Amino acid sequence: MKPTNEAVITFWSRSANEGFARTAAACFAAQLDPTLDEINDIKTAVSEAVTNAIVHAYPDALGKVVLRLRLLEDNVMEVVVRDSGVGIADVEQARMPLYTTGDAERSGMGFTIMESFMDTLKVRSKPGKGTAVTMRKRISRRRGASV
């Protein structure tokens, strides 16, 4: 799909930046005239992906997180959250509900939540090189909305 608009934001892996990332994604998505439910779905998925990068990619140091937002043809929003952190040794295992490499506070539901709120979820990772999470969501066209 060909992009119609794109934004790329890079920020440090500080927990305070999770709220910034989800707000930036919601503001960018507003161009597609989404419903409040669609905006909340995007914000939740972005929050989970960015939190994963902050907590798991850089457990002992700060690192950079890249948020790429793209609007594609057919009212589709694509979100990519990428880090250059420790990576995931076994992506399939990491996508299993309740699996976590974090402490007892972590539910292990991040990928499951992302998958449930977005239409597609792809995870690419290499140990020692980082992880890229790509999510897409089609925003419904509302009656009377101009194209």
Side-chain angles (χ1 to χ4, degrees), residues 98-117:
L98 305 179
Y99 177 82
T100 184
T101 59
D103 58 27
E105 292 179 14
R106 302 289 161 204
S107 69
M109 294 298 290
F111 287 129
T112 302
I113 291 168
M114 288 177 238
E115 197 164 31
S116 68
F117 283 100

Side-chain angles (χ1 to χ4, degrees), residues 59-81:
D60 301 317
L62 284 178
K64 295 214 175 154
V65 178
V66 177
L67 175 66
R68 186 182 78 193
L69 306 165
R70 294 192 326 158
L71 302 182
L72 306 173
E73 298 168 337
D74 297 326
N75 245 33
V76 173
M77 178 158 173
E78 180 181 80
V79 178
V80 178
V81 177

Side-chain angles (χ1 to χ4, degrees), residues 14-72:
R14 296 186 186 280
S15 60
N17 287 329
E18 176 271 327
F20 165 69
R22 62 186 271 136
T23 301
C27 290
F28 195 78
Q31 299 170 64
L32 297 177
D33 196 25
T35 65
L36 286 177
D37 285 341
E38 290 167 333
I39 283 284
N40 286 329
D41 290 353
I42 291 166
K43 287 170 65 176
T44 300
V46 168
S47 179
E48 291 294 329
V50 169
T51 298
N52 274 0
I54 291 168
V55 171
H56 299 291
Y58 305 107
D60 301 317
L62 284 178
K64 295 214 175 154
V65 178
V66 177
L67 175 66
R68 186 182 78 193
L69 306 165
R70 294 192 326 158
L71 302 182
L72 306 173

